[in-house]
Amino acid sequence: MGGCGAESASTVVREGATLAVGRDVAVAPAVAAEALRDTHTWPDWGPAIDAVESGDRYVTTGTTGRVRVGGAWLPFRVTACNGRRWDWRIAGIPATGHRVDSYAGESDRSRVVVEVPIVAAWYVTVCRRALDRFAALVEERSGERSVAIAIDDFTDTDADDNTDTDA
């Protein structure tokens, strides 16, 4: 569904009146959820979003702002948020839902899902592309943090070794 086929690692499943577009990401659920709620990164991974203005960097219930889509600024309001799930309205119309699911026993892997109303099934292709971009973004940033930690660990060990040698 959505015409992406082998191009995307995402899947689409019908869940009641929505289509759940999901993709596994190689980061902990808390990391994925924080990134998903970060309004500063939406234009980086959301192909339909050109820009975002909001007083809140991380969405919570009641967060408002506006998104620029196709050159037009549209107001948004987050209608529900519990940390790993949030829903919003754009220009007063119920839009996509967003959630992060965890895997039992796999703390460094999660599934990010965008819920699309069936009446907007045409949007699935955009969501699949968005999730692929989102996965690349969070996995790259997670890798950068791991490298920084490893460098810090090496530097601390190296400094300790030098101190012991000089003593």
Side-chain angles (χ1 to χ4, degrees), residues 2 12 17 32 37 44 54 57 68-70 73 77 80 96 113-114 118 125 139 149 158 167:
V12 182
R37 293 177 42 238
D44 296 335
S54 177
R57 177 167 182 175
R68 192 172 69 218
V69 178
W73 284 100
R77 184 171 81 74
T96 50
V113 178
V114 178
I118 288 178
T125 302
E139 289 170 355
I149 290 167
D158 191 38

Side-chain angles (χ1 to χ4, degrees), residues 78-94:
V78 174
T79 56
C81 181
N82 72 3
R84 280 205 202 167
R85 176 183 174 75
W86 61 273
D87 301 303
W88 65 339
R89 289 178 168 261
I90 300 175
I93 299 168

Side-chain angles (χ1 to χ4, degrees), residues 64-77:
T64 60
R66 62 186 194 150
V67 290
R68 192 172 69 218
V69 178
W73 284 100
L74 303 172
F76 74 83
R77 184 171 81 74

